[in-house]
Amino acid sequence: MLTAQASAAFDEKHLEAMCGTCHPLDPVRAARLSPADWTRELDKMEAMGAKIPHRKVLLDYLTTHYGLKKKATPAIRAR
């Protein structure tokens, strides 16, 4: 199990090492999926033979960096 510090240190180079050895990362970066959709993608990758030793860390990273974009909220003006 990774420590919180190790989880926080997960970055693009780790994504490249885990995922980029089998396929380009451009589709991953462009996907903008929900957590449930990223979970299905990881399930699909594992079914095709991918080994994902720190699945929760990867899922958290994908969701945070390549998840659905939040809608901008309109600014509230003070009167």
Side-chain angles (χ1 to χ4, degrees), residues 1 3 10 15 18 20-21 25 33 36-37 41 50 52 59 70-71 74:
M1 176 174 233
T3 64
F10 192 93
L15 182 67
M18 289 182 78
T21 57
L25 293 181
L33 301 177
D37 289 334
E41 285 300 309
I52 306 174
L59 179 60
K70 294 180 181 177
K71 291 184 180 179

Side-chain angles (χ1 to χ4, degrees), residues 30-50:
R32 301 296 173 189
L33 301 177
S34 70
D37 289 334
W38 277 123
T39 297
R40 282 190 284 281
E41 285 300 309
L42 294 180
D43 290 344
K44 184 171 74 173
M45 295 299 112
E46 287 180 321
M48 291 191 286

Side-chain angles (χ1 to χ4, degrees), residues 7-73:
S7 293
F10 192 93
D11 61 13
E12 281 295 302
K13 69 180 178 182
H14 295 100
L15 182 67
E16 182 72 38
M18 289 182 78
C19 305
T21 57
C22 294
H23 59 77
L25 293 181
D26 289 341
V28 173
R29 292 179 180 122
R32 301 296 173 189
L33 301 177
S34 70
D37 289 334
W38 277 123
T39 297
R40 282 190 284 281
E41 285 300 309
L42 294 180
D43 290 344
K44 184 171 74 173
M45 295 299 112
E46 287 180 321
M48 291 191 286
K51 303 293 183 217
I52 306 174
H54 306 292
R55 184 183 169 110
K56 180 171 179 353
V57 173
L58 177 58
L59 179 60
D60 289 347
Y61 184 83
L62 291 169
T63 301
T64 300
H65 296 279
Y66 303 111
L68 296 174
K69 291 184 178 181
K70 294 180 181 177
K71 291 184 180 179
T73 55

